Amino acid sequence: MELSVFVDESGDFGEYDYHAPYYIISLVFHNQSNDIQFDLSHFNDELAYLNLSNHCVHAGPIIRSEEEYKGMSLDERRKILKKLMAFIRHIDISYKTIKKHIKDSIEATGKLSKQLSSLIRENMDLFCSFDVVKIYYDNGQVEVTRVLSSVFNALLENVEFRKVIPSQYRLFQVADLICTLKLTELKLENHTLSKSEKAFFEDERTLKKNYLKPIKKKEL
């Protein structure tokens, strides 16, 4: 049996910025024995109905109306994330998020490594029940690659690493959305939501009901 782990991050290991003080790593777990092909095909069809065939969903720019979403209306952008949320609700996956309030890169690397180690140890029976654990990451940040490699290889013997092209893996796009929503949750708790986030999610009740609560049910 194979366990796929799709990893994405939100934040920067650079100098501390009080506007963006958090660093989040999300890990999405999928037992390859659980077939998601039907739901995957349905999600792709739903995007095609929106004239977005083969589109790579990128949650942050959708919310902020950036990059390829800049010319889209608020309603069009919301529809895309609602389709991805529906996909998440229907498939058999779980996730875990580790996060840190960043002061500097050395401190962040150490604390995130400890949290990842704790996550693996607490779920050692799960990881060891698989013949192979494949870690999918786009190598977007060197520090994250180092943390993943050092911690997983130190604690598990059945690990393989794969470099991801985000457009080729829907579950990597799921990890991206979860990262974005967990960051949004932190900002909500600290009353630091941006204007674009407030506009996109409408109000606190809608954000919690339609986005935060559904993904909470998938938490490992």
Side-chain angles (χ1 to χ4, degrees), residues 132-189:
V132 61
V133 176
K134 288 187 179 178
I135 313 298
Y136 293 84
Y137 180 57
D138 66 354
N139 295 352
Q141 295 188 16
V142 173
E143 294 90 348
V144 176
T145 302
R146 288 173 180 163
V147 168
L148 293 172
S149 178
S150 61
V151 175
F152 272 102
N153 281 317
L155 297 177
L156 299 173
E157 296 180 356
N158 57 340
V159 180
E160 295 180 12
F161 287 85
R162 297 285 187 273
K163 183 178 179 180
V164 168
I165 297 174
S167 61
Q168 294 180 352
Y169 292 91
R170 290 299 186 195
L171 291 185
F172 185 82
Q173 296 164 45
V174 168
D176 167 71
L177 175 57
I178 289 174
C179 253
T180 300
L181 290 178
K182 298 306 285 187
L183 178 61
T184 304
E185 185 176 40
L186 278 174
K187 294 170 78 173
L188 175 66
E189 292 169 356

Side-chain angles (χ1 to χ4, degrees), residues 26-37:
S26 288
L27 302 95
V28 171
F29 305 100
H30 175 227
N31 180 344
Q32 289 293 332
S33 298
N34 297 325
D35 187 10
I36 64 170
Q37 192 56 50

Side-chain angles (χ1 to χ4, degrees), residues 2-132:
E2 176 183 319
L3 178 68
S4 295
V5 185
F6 294 86
V7 183
D8 197 22
E9 85 290 322
S10 177
D12 196 334
F13 269 85
E15 291 186 8
Y16 176 80
D17 180 356
Y18 74 93
H19 289 297
Y22 297 105
Y23 197 88
I24 296 175
I25 296 177
S26 288
L27 302 95
V28 171
F29 305 100
H30 175 227
N31 180 344
Q32 289 293 332
S33 298
N34 297 325
D35 187 10
I36 64 170
Q37 192 56 50
F38 175 82
D39 294 294
L40 184 60
S41 295
H42 180 70
F43 176 58
N44 288 334
D45 289 342
E46 289 291 296
L47 286 184
Y49 295 148
L50 300 177
N51 295 317
L52 292 170
S53 296
N54 303 314
H55 178 72
C56 179
V57 179
H58 196 182
I62 288 177
I63 294 167
R64 296 187 298 269
S65 186
E66 295 174 347
E67 299 174 10
E68 67 263 47
Y69 308 103
K70 198 168 185 179
M72 292 185 179
S73 68
L74 184 56
D75 184 57
E76 288 172 326
R77 289 184 282 118
R78 282 178 181 153
K79 283 181 180 178
I80 300 171
L81 277 203
K82 285 178 181 177
K83 301 296 186 187
L84 185 53
M85 286 298 302
F87 175 61
I88 292 172
R89 283 194 293 268
H90 283 97
I91 58 177
D92 189 358
I93 59 165
S94 59
Y95 78 92
K96 197 68 180 177
T97 297
I98 58 177
K99 52 185 177 284
K100 185 70 188 73
H101 191 282
I102 285 187
K103 294 180 181 178
D104 61 67
S105 61
I106 296 175
E107 185 252 11
T109 300
K111 292 293 177 64
L112 290 169
S113 295
K114 288 179 181 178
Q115 288 187 55
L116 182 58
S117 296
S118 295
L119 168 63
I120 295 172
R121 289 192 176 99
E122 289 167 6
N123 297 278
M124 188 62 77
D125 289 344
L126 169 67
F127 288 109
C128 291
S129 68
F130 291 90
D131 299 313
V132 61

